Amino acid sequence: MNKGVSIVGFKKSGKTTLMLELAREFKKRGSKLSAAKFSHHGFDRQNTDTDLLAGQAVDLAGLSEEQTIFFWQNRKYLPDLLPLMKGDLLLVEGGKKLGWLPRILVLKHPREAEELDYGLAMATWGDIKTAYLPHINRIEELADLIQEKGFILPGLDCGSCGHETCRDLGKRILAGQAGQEDCLAVNSECEIRVNGQIVGMNPFVERIFKKTLQAMLSELKGYSPGRVEIKINL
């Protein structure tokens, strides 16, 4: 991206109308438009100008005094977004088919556990209990459990750990038969961190990355085999 412009004016001057007209025009021309919108009152996409603008752009950033949001027009997967997140603990609402996170079940009926367990349930919370899972009704106890047994796997299903899927490894971690360190996609000879978050690589990508980097470094004066650290600020 090497071209851009800002549309400025006071409130109700027609900035958004012009933004939408320009966005539609550039879209007709085949340009892939990224858009950014500043606001003093936050964002609510539904049936708003922000929603209309997001429909014309490939991605949209919203910036206000107290929040920043980002919309993509294509689907993103949660592991792709983790490097953008700054927390040291991830809480996810939903995600029934996620096979790389343990889960807490909140049930309306005991039979729902069979569908929601996915082999990754640590406990249940709420009024409904099951016969086979621990039930927790104190928030402090639940937080302790999450901090003690929570984990994040990369979701690559690469098989490098000897299991077919991350879910299979996750089930063994919960059973105490394996540990998060058994995931070779993030515990390998080649480690990449983006904003402090380890980016998982399947063995094929790791080999390509390592051999390519090694070949490039071998052309530099001062290079010798051993531990190499590279820091890049993008």
Side-chain angles (χ1 to χ4, degrees), residues 99-194:
W100 46 274
L101 287 171
R103 54 185 61 188
I104 305 297
L105 303 187
V106 183
L107 307 172
K108 295 187 294 183
H109 192 280
R111 65 173 175 265
E112 294 177 340
E114 297 180 8
E115 179 181 352
L116 298 176
D117 185 335
Y118 216 51
L120 296 171
M122 295 193 294
T124 59
W125 169 269
D127 296 331
I128 305 301
K129 303 178 182 180
T130 69
Y132 70 98
L133 286 172
H135 181 73
I136 297 177
N137 55 18
R138 292 182 60 251
I139 197 66
E140 296 85 359
E141 185 180 349
L142 184 62
D144 288 343
L145 176 66
I146 293 170
Q147 287 189 318
E148 178 186 355
K149 295 190 175 181
F151 59 83
I152 298 176
L153 298 175
L156 295 176
D157 293 340
C158 64
S160 61
C161 62
H163 300 86
E164 186 174 346
T165 66
C166 288
R167 177 188 174 193
D168 292 330
L169 175 59
K171 291 162 67 174
R172 289 181 58 83
I173 292 175
L174 286 180
Q177 300 169 346
Q180 195 168 356
E181 66 277 4
D182 291 310
C183 174
L184 301 184
V186 294
N187 294 284
S188 63
E189 295 179 349
C190 187
E191 179 182 294
I192 296 178
R193 291 180 179 264
V194 178

Side-chain angles (χ1 to χ4, degrees), residues 1-228:
M1 186 188 303
N2 58 11
K3 296 182 184 295
V5 68
S6 63
I7 310 299
V8 296
F10 291 109
K11 189 175 181 179
K12 297 187 181 300
S13 62
K15 300 188 301 295
T16 302
T17 300
L18 178 55
M19 282 280 288
L20 287 170
E21 291 181 5
L22 283 171
R24 293 186 183 109
E25 177 61 25
F26 285 124
K27 190 173 183 178
K28 284 195 301 184
R29 297 183 182 193
S31 296
K32 293 182 178 180
L33 178 70
S34 293
K37 182 178 177 68
F38 288 86
S39 172
H40 295 292
H41 49 74
F43 299 93
D44 180 7
R45 270 197 62 182
Q46 189 172 7
N47 299 320
T48 63
D49 293 334
T50 304
D51 189 46
L52 294 174
L53 186 56
Q56 301 298 320
V58 294
D59 46 48
L60 168 66
L63 304 97
S64 71
E65 294 296 323
E66 298 183 354
Q67 65 179 168
T68 303
I69 58 176
F70 208 100
F71 302 109
W72 286 273
Q73 285 293 69
N74 59 323
R75 180 177 181 180
K76 297 291 182 181
Y77 293 91
L78 184 53
D80 299 330
L81 305 180
L82 294 185
L84 300 176
M85 299 179 175
K86 301 298 184 183
D88 54 18
L89 179 71
L90 176 67
L91 291 180
V92 177
E93 179 183 346
K96 295 183 182 69
K97 298 301 181 182
L98 292 183
W100 46 274
L101 287 171
R103 54 185 61 188
I104 305 297
L105 303 187
V106 183
L107 307 172
K108 295 187 294 183
H109 192 280
R111 65 173 175 265
E112 294 177 340
E114 297 180 8
E115 179 181 352
L116 298 176
D117 185 335
Y118 216 51
L120 296 171
M122 295 193 294
T124 59
W125 169 269
D127 296 331
I128 305 301
K129 303 178 182 180
T130 69
Y132 70 98
L133 286 172
H135 181 73
I136 297 177
N137 55 18
R138 292 182 60 251
I139 197 66
E140 296 85 359
E141 185 180 349
L142 184 62
D144 288 343
L145 176 66
I146 293 170
Q147 287 189 318
E148 178 186 355
K149 295 190 175 181
F151 59 83
I152 298 176
L153 298 175
L156 295 176
D157 293 340
C158 64
S160 61
C161 62
H163 300 86
E164 186 174 346
T165 66
C166 288
R167 177 188 174 193
D168 292 330
L169 175 59
K171 291 162 67 174
R172 289 181 58 83
I173 292 175
L174 286 180
Q177 300 169 346
Q180 195 168 356
E181 66 277 4
D182 291 310
C183 174
L184 301 184
V186 294
N187 294 284
S188 63
E189 295 179 349
C190 187
E191 179 182 294
I192 296 178
R193 291 180 179 264
V194 178
N195 295 325
Q197 177 72 36
I198 295 180
V199 177
M201 291 186 291
N202 65 50
F204 175 71
V205 173
E206 181 191 355
R207 286 195 299 271
I208 292 177
F209 186 87
K210 183 178 178 180
K211 289 184 179 296
T212 301
L213 190 59
Q214 194 170 28
M216 295 172 63
L217 291 174
S218 66
E219 299 297 322
L220 299 178
K221 291 182 178 180
Y223 169 76
S224 61
R227 179 179 174 84
V228 176

